[in-house]
């Protein structure tokens, strides 16, 4: 009896580790701001890096981070980085997304994860949450934001970009 219990714990821990350590972007459908469904695999930058920033209209640190990323957008473009802001606003708050992004005039792609399937599939529990991918592989994750974190993120991009910092 004790041995069976131990086996169950080992199986559970093995399964939990696999689930909690998502290493690739999953294939999940999200929506564009125009309402078109798109598979997350089709959002990847196959020739460079992709930065996914999960946010919501009610999350002040999320907005601050996206503003900071927007302010450095021209630098990021030089490194062939695709930036995607993924709104996790639900049915109650999703109507605030379009007015906010229109007012901010952010120059990166915005996707809507209304049912939070993308967020859940990546085991994201808190926002802001940033994920950097090289192809489909997740190479960096961060939860939370404080001023200056965008510079740390830029360093991650420099280190993993095909274009090295001294070439620009």
């Amino acid at each position: 009896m004790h041995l069976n219990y131990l086996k169950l714990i080992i199986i559970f821990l093995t399964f939990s580790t696999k689930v909690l350590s998502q290493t690739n972007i999953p294939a999940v459908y999200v929506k564009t701001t125009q309402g078109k469904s798109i598979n997350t695999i089709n959002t990847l930058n196959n020739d460079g890096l992709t930065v996914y920033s999960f946010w919501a209209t009610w999350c002040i640190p999320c907005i601050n981070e996206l503003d900071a990323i927007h302010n450095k957008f021209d630098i990021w473009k030089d490194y062939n980085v695709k930036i995607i802001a993924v709104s996790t606003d639900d049915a109650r708050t999703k109507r605030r997304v379009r007015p906010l992004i229109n007012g901010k005039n952010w120059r990166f792609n915005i996707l809507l994860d209304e049912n939070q399937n993308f967020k859940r599939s990546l085991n994201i529990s808190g926002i802001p949450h940033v994920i950097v991918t090289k192809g489909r592989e997740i190479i960096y994750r961060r939860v939370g934001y404080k001023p200056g974190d965008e510079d740390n993120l830029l360093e991650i991009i420099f280190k993993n970009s095909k274009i090295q910092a001294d070439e620009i």
Side-chain angles (χ1 to χ4, degrees):
M1 180 73 169
H2 182 67
L3 189 58
N4 287 337
Y5 182 69
L6 188 58
K7 286 180 184 177
L8 271 173
I9 290 174
I10 291 170
I11 290 170
F12 175 75
L13 290 175
T14 303
F15 177 73
S16 296
T17 303
K18 291 272 188 204
V19 169
L20 296 175
S21 62
Q22 182 76 28
T23 58
N24 290 312
I25 290 295
V28 177
Y29 281 91
V30 292
K31 290 188 176 178
T32 66
T33 54
Q34 293 78 31
K36 178 183 170 194
S37 283
I38 185 170
N39 191 305
T40 53
I41 299 303
N42 295 328
T43 65
L44 293 166
N45 181 355
N46 295 320
D47 296 328
L49 303 175
T50 308
V51 174
Y52 293 94
S53 180
F54 289 82
W55 67 287
T57 55
W58 49 264
C59 174
I60 300 304
C62 299
I63 305 299
N64 292 341
E65 178 172 47
L66 290 171
D67 283 341
I69 289 172
H70 171 79
N71 291 338
K72 296 187 181 240
F73 187 74
D74 289 333
I75 296 170
W76 297 52
K77 277 191 332 188
D78 291 340
Y79 288 89
N80 191 22
V81 177
K82 186 175 186 180
I83 301 170
I84 300 173
V86 182
S87 168
T88 59
D89 284 279
D90 59 17
R92 292 175 293 138
T93 58
K94 73 177 182 180
R95 70 180 181 277
R96 298 180 194 157
V97 173
R98 188 168 281 122
L100 178 76
I101 60 176
N102 287 341
K104 293 288 187 179
N105 204 24
W106 290 329
R107 294 183 286 162
F108 36 80
N109 296 322
I110 310 286
L111 296 176
L112 310 174
D113 188 20
E114 295 170 352
N115 296 324
Q116 300 187 1
N117 292 333
F118 191 25
K119 179 181 164 189
R120 243 188 323 276
S121 68
L122 289 163
N123 300 310
I124 295 173
S125 57
I127 56 173
H129 193 111
V130 169
I131 292 176
V132 179
T133 67
K134 188 178 240 179
R136 197 170 171 185
E137 179 188 3
I138 296 171
I139 60 170
Y140 176 78
R141 292 178 89 125
R142 186 191 73 234
V143 180
Y145 173 75
K146 63 185 181 312
D149 281 348
E150 69 279 1
D151 294 325
N152 297 334
L153 189 56
L154 198 52
E155 284 298 316
I156 298 294
I157 289 165
F158 290 166
K159 289 178 188 173
N160 290 283
S161 176
K162 289 180 183 176
I163 303 168
Q164 295 302 310
D166 56 357
E167 292 179 10
I168 291 187

